[in-house]
Amino acid sequence: MKIYGIHPVDKNLHFLKRSIIELSKKFGEYFEYLKLEKNNHSHEIATNILIDSNEGLILFFCHALDKSIRGCQIIHAAGGREHRDFSYGSWISPTKNLKVFNGKAVFCLACNSNDLGEYAIKNGAKVYLGFDDIPFYIKENFKEDVISNFVKTHLEQIITSTIIIAIEKDFTFNQFALRLRISFDKHRIDLMTSNNSGRATKIQVANVLSVIRNGIRIHGDGTLKIMES
């Protein structure tokens, strides 16, 4: 069965390119990378490929907002000239491109992607694993960049290793979700017992990982195996 990795050109999501590279190496011809670039054409290609396939595992590594998966930042034109007013396009939403879900198993790593789960199932997805809040940026008493970078590093490692294990061991989505939660817990413990950074930073990063871990949600048939057609 085909695995589709969806990832936009985006500086805030660039860290997840490592996931795409590792999964592509691991699963070779079974893995197809659908890169969303700063143009509508790349989005149309990805949409058509997904709609034309009536089965497969979709791995979204994207932004999500207001019950929609966002595409790449599209450069808008003003008076025939490009300007720097970028905006995330609503690529998949309750009123747009829902046919991409038909017949698919879906993993959507995106902030509040859980909100789109019921629409995915109603439009033919067999199972959908999404997330609640994924707070990359923390603006409290600590340096935002430090916290954000630590969270991104742990998140990428957790997601990549768990997807590989789930596929290799033919997990169900329920088992996949459980393994994800266990991996988040392990990373939090390892972080707190390490000497890599100050205690205040480690506590903050551990708290963010806990928020992400507790927001894992499954819609549809969780007993479906991750690579079941």
Side-chain angles (χ1 to χ4, degrees):
M1 188 174 74
K2 201 79 172 180
I3 305 168
Y4 300 98
I6 318 295
H7 184 245
V9 175
D10 183 295
K11 65 179 181 179
N12 292 322
L13 295 179
H14 182 70
F15 72 103
L16 290 171
K17 183 66 179 292
R18 292 190 292 269
S19 296
I20 293 290
I21 292 171
E22 289 302 312
L23 292 168
S24 180
K25 288 179 180 177
K26 191 70 178 177
F27 300 111
E29 64 183 21
Y30 295 101
F31 188 87
E32 183 170 356
Y33 173 28
L34 300 180
K35 182 180 181 180
L36 303 180
E37 301 183 84
K38 294 181 180 180
N39 57 66
N40 289 309
H41 183 60
S42 62
H43 294 67
E44 292 169 0
I45 290 174
T47 301
N48 291 334
I49 288 174
L50 295 176
I51 290 175
D52 289 344
S53 173
N54 58 6
E55 64 176 28
L57 170 66
I58 307 179
L59 306 173
F60 289 104
F61 302 120
C62 297
H63 288 286
L65 181 68
D66 297 331
K67 298 180 181 178
S68 70
I69 296 174
R70 309 304 242 185
C72 185
Q73 289 177 310
I74 304 296
I75 300 175
H76 294 282
R81 295 188 301 172
E82 290 183 353
H83 62 90
R84 305 300 292 179
D85 183 18
F86 292 2
S87 65
Y88 291 113
S90 177
W91 177 37
I92 301 170
S93 73
T95 60
K96 188 177 181 182
N97 294 326
L98 287 174
K99 290 182 179 180
V100 301
F101 293 124
N102 187 44
K104 312 299 194 310
V106 181
F107 170 82
C108 191
L109 181 67
C111 187
N112 297 313
S113 56
N114 176 52
D115 292 346
L116 195 58
E118 63 179 284
Y119 297 95
I121 297 302
K122 288 178 181 178
N123 285 272
K126 295 179 178 180
V127 59
Y128 179 103
L129 190 156
F131 291 78
D132 289 336
D133 193 20
I134 303 181
F136 288 152
Y137 307 107
I138 310 301
K139 295 181 179 179
E140 294 184 2
N141 298 321
F142 310 112
K143 292 181 180 180
E144 180 181 329
D145 288 344
V146 172
I147 305 300
S148 178
N149 290 337
F150 268 114
V151 170
K152 288 180 177 182
T153 297
H154 284 281
L155 182 58
E156 185 275 325
Q157 293 173 355
I158 290 167
I159 295 304
T160 305
S161 62
T162 308
I163 289 174
I164 290 173
I165 290 170
I167 293 175
E168 289 185 332
K169 294 185 177 293
D170 201 24
F171 279 1
T172 66
F173 263 75
N174 287 336
Q175 291 171 321
F176 179 29
L178 177 59
R179 185 63 182 241
L180 278 171
R181 294 184 182 105
I182 291 172
S183 187
F184 273 105
D185 291 340
K186 183 178 185 303
H187 273 252
R188 289 171 58 233
I189 292 170
D190 290 346
L191 172 67
M192 293 305 299
T193 56
S194 73
N195 296 317
N196 292 337
S197 58
R199 179 172 174 78
T201 295
K202 290 191 289 188
I203 290 174
Q204 189 70 1
V205 173
N207 288 341
V208 176
L209 293 177
S210 181
V211 169
I212 300 172
R213 176 238 192 253
N214 293 336
I216 296 170
R217 301 284 183 267
I218 292 179
H219 297 260
D221 186 3
T223 67
L224 183 73
K225 291 186 176 181
I226 195 167
M227 288 296 287
E228 185 175 326
S229 61

